[in-house]
Amino acid sequence: QSVLTQPPSASGTPGQRVTISCSGSSSNIGSHALNWHQQLPGMAPKLLIYSNNQRPSGVPDRFSGSKSGTSASLAISGLQSEDEADYYCAAWDDSLNGWVFGGGTKLTVL
Amino acid sequence: EVQLVESGGGLAQPGGSLRLSCAASGFTFKSYLMHWVRQAPGKGLVWVSRISSDGSDTSYADSVKGRFTISRDNAKNTLYLQMNSLRAEDTAVYYCARGGVVPMWGQGTMVTVSS
């Protein structure tokens, strides 16, 4: 049981826009920045979005993040086949004094 | 180039020990909080432990408390995870990760606990 809650799966066709939700509590998302990590099949995770809505250098602007209260979402527009991956939300948690993760959302491009 | 490179994984027997290392380069290691995160086969990411930038403060997930010890050597730009009393459920890829505003990940090292 993950501390942050994400849907286990999402899907879309090429060119579509998809969103992935992430919900938490006041001790994590409600008080701290939310990050999104992308994990391509067989690879290590990679930072996709930091500080709720910031993209690291090299991440296409098709990826965007938002946060409101104790929930956050990742939006991917102009879906491409290479976006097929697992996506994890993560935040610092004051109770754990460490990171908490969502269970991950497997994105399938149909 | 900013890089984190883990090593030390392998096969261990139940009840045994392993020591993981994570060599950091390309950034000021001593300025960053550092984490270990693991991923069991086919499962999601799970936070294991973190250590403050100067090594004075640590915290652990309940599942590893009392068995794992995180440490760092800022002179060697290296993070460690000493894993004792290993169990089958500790089998996972172990990633070191940089904390702070812009997190980053290493490539991971596989730990298998089996007789």
Side-chain angles (χ1 to χ4, degrees), chain A residues 3-18:
Chain A
V3 175
L4 305 183
T5 302
Q6 298 180 235
S9 64
S11 63
T13 56
Q16 266 191 332
R17 182 178 187 270
V18 297

Side-chain angles (χ1 to χ4, degrees), chain B residues 14-26:
Chain B
S17 298
L18 277 177
R19 188 198 198 199
L20 306 183
S21 299
C22 171
S25 60

Side-chain angles (χ1 to χ4, degrees), chain B residues 14-15 27 32 35 43 46 55-57 66:
Chain B
F27 65 98
Y32 287 87
H35 300 264
K43 302 297 184 181
V46 176
S56 64
D57 186 48

Side-chain angles (χ1 to χ4, degrees), chain B residues 25-94:
Chain B
S25 60
F27 65 98
T28 307
F29 178 73
K30 64 182 180 181
S31 297
Y32 287 87
L33 181 152
M34 296 294 295
H35 300 264
W36 286 100
V37 176
R38 69 185 181 184
Q39 185 172 36
K43 302 297 184 181
L45 301 172
V46 176
W47 175 79
V48 172
S49 181
R50 66 94 185 160
I51 186 168
S52 61
S53 57
D54 65 358
S56 64
D57 186 48
T58 60
S59 56
Y60 300 89
D62 285 345
S63 58
V64 307
K65 205 172 291 184
R67 300 187 299 122
F68 290 11
T69 302
I70 190 172
S71 62
R72 65 192 295 162
D73 185 335
N74 285 345
K76 295 183 178 179
N77 290 342
T78 303
L79 175 73
Y80 302 101
L81 186 68
Q82 177 67 43
M83 304 187 296
N84 298 332
S85 303
L86 283 163
R87 305 167 180 167
E89 54 264 36
D90 295 320
T91 295
V93 176
Y94 284 74

